[in-house]
Amino acid sequence: MKNRGATILAIIGAALLILPLVVHDTFVLRVLTEGVMWIGLAIAFDVIAGYTGYLNFGHGAFFGIGAYTIGILMMQANLPFWAALPAGGVAAAIVALIAGIPTLRLKGAYFAIATWALSRAIQQLALNVEFTGGPDGMRLEAFLNPQFFYYLMLITVGGTFAILWYLLERAPFGLKLKAIREDEEGAKALGLNPTKLKMQSFILSALPTGILGGIYAYWITFIDPSSTLGDLVSDQAVVMVVFGGMGTLFGPALGAILIFAFKTIFWAYLSDFQLLYLIILGALIAISVIFIPNGLWGTMVKRKAGAARPQQNAEPVSEPAALSAVAAPEEGN
């Protein structure tokens, strides 16, 4: 089964790599590039929301921080793109570290509201300071090479997926985050340090988001507070992850593909009905929560596991036993 999954991923990866050699239409390539970007934003959001259980409505702030960091360093400090790009991720990670100290003490709706307020505060800051261009935004030097940005976005998202797959699905780190999500007090009793682990999860979610924001800024060549620091980035990430399936990596990727495809078709034919698009996004969240609480991917996996269970003779390992196996007995893990 694992070999089959690896083969499917390899085929998809090979197809994405050769796609620009087949597709020569610039518009189609731009659509594909943005689609890949949203996959990256969704899986990064899922680290803190799906695996750790903390719904972050300020996810778009990290995207905007990365975008503005690139813009400021390139246009005002005259740094080349490759030197400025890592700074976008580092800046987002530093903000996550600082913001996480007070906000990660909160839980549930309180954390969601606090992160939303953080996002709004950063947006207002960008609107009122001169070095960001204020409400007029900032224009970057154009680099007209669609293939370059497609491959850069693809490599960044592919690398992010591979690293997160190892950390969250193969290393003990992912199981520790799930322990916090299911029962934070129980995780403490097992010897885990929830404060440290939640902070690591928050930073791990912010860093690739900031890098993707930096690539987006150089690709689009114009950024302003409404497009990079607005609520739409966070809102769409929430819908993609909830609809696709929280707490998995394939679920958010699937949700990002479907929601972005719908968005592209909607804006192509119904661009005058912006409010309708937001209403549909809200309806999708409600439908997902009520009818498919595990998301599309989670529902498919659950049904497949249920069909295979009668054929299994081995007794499954209970979750508490699995958690005990990875919980470090020392204090501070």
Side-chain angles (χ1 to χ4, degrees):
M1 189 69 186
K2 291 180 181 178
N3 291 335
R4 183 186 300 175
T7 302
I8 293 173
L9 284 176
I11 292 172
I12 294 173
L16 290 172
L17 284 172
I18 65 172
L19 203 57
L21 303 177
V22 180
V23 178
H24 301 291
D25 188 293
T26 302
F27 173 75
V28 174
L29 204 56
R30 283 181 71 90
V31 171
L32 292 172
T33 303
E34 188 177 352
V36 172
M37 181 192 76
W38 277 109
I39 292 174
L41 290 174
I43 61 175
F45 175 82
D46 195 44
V47 176
I48 186 70
Y51 283 88
T52 316
Y54 279 69
L55 198 60
N56 174 22
F57 277 106
H59 190 63
F62 302 131
F63 181 79
I65 288 168
Y68 271 102
T69 300
I70 290 288
I72 293 168
L73 291 179
M74 289 185 66
M75 303 311 296
Q76 299 182 20
N78 295 319
L79 282 180
F81 171 71
W82 292 112
L85 182 59
V90 172
I94 291 172
V95 172
L97 174 64
I98 296 171
I101 293 172
T103 59
L104 288 172
R105 298 176 183 272
L106 305 172
K107 296 180 181 179
Y110 298 104
F111 175 79
I113 294 170
T115 51
W116 174 81
L118 169 69
S119 177
R120 300 297 292 182
I122 293 174
Q123 185 185 36
Q124 289 302 311
L125 178 66
L127 281 167
N128 289 283
V129 294
E130 293 184 4
F131 60 85
T132 63
D136 296 327
M138 179 183 295
R139 189 169 296 280
L140 284 73
E141 183 179 347
F143 182 62
L144 305 177
N145 190 332
Q147 288 82 9
F148 167 80
F149 288 107
Y150 173 81
Y151 280 119
L152 180 58
M153 202 73 80
L154 182 64
I155 291 169
T156 303
V157 172
T160 300
F161 187 94
I163 292 170
L164 293 180
W165 174 260
Y166 174 76
L167 290 175
L168 301 175
E169 297 293 340
R170 291 292 176 263
F173 179 70
L175 198 53
K176 292 176 182 180
L177 293 185
K178 292 176 183 178
I180 293 172
R181 180 189 68 195
E182 299 300 327
D183 186 355
E184 192 165 327
E185 293 303 317
K188 265 187 194 178
L190 289 171
L192 301 179
N193 185 339
T195 302
K196 179 181 177 182
L197 289 165
K198 287 188 294 184
M199 184 66 74
Q200 291 172 344
S201 173
F202 204 29
I203 293 172
L204 188 61
S205 174
L207 194 149
T209 304
I211 293 175
L212 290 171
I215 298 172
Y216 174 84
Y218 191 37
W219 173 44
I220 297 298
T221 72
F222 175 77
I223 54 175
D224 67 336
S226 62
S227 64
T228 57
L229 289 166
D231 293 333
L232 193 58
V233 175
S234 298
D235 294 345
Q236 288 191 149
V238 171
V239 177
M240 289 171 177
V241 172
V242 172
F243 186 64
M246 299 177 73
T248 68
L249 287 177
F250 287 106
L254 176 63
I257 292 169
L258 295 176
I259 298 299
F260 177 72
F262 167 74
K263 173 193 171 185
T264 303
I265 296 170
F266 185 93
W267 288 113
Y269 296 100
L270 297 169
S271 58
D272 294 333
F273 301 93
Q274 298 183 19
L275 182 60
L276 177 61
Y277 177 70
L278 295 176
I279 292 173
I280 293 173
L281 286 185
L284 279 175
I285 291 181
I287 292 170
S288 298
V289 171
I290 295 172
F291 297 105
I292 45 172
N294 296 316
L296 289 178
W297 183 260
T299 301
M300 289 189 294
V301 171
K302 190 174 180 180
R303 286 184 178 179
K304 188 173 183 180
R309 190 172 293 121
Q311 302 173 5
Q312 296 176 352
N313 296 321
E315 190 172 327
V317 178
S318 65
E319 186 170 312
L323 293 177
S324 300
V326 299
E330 303 91 2
E331 193 173 319
N333 285 343

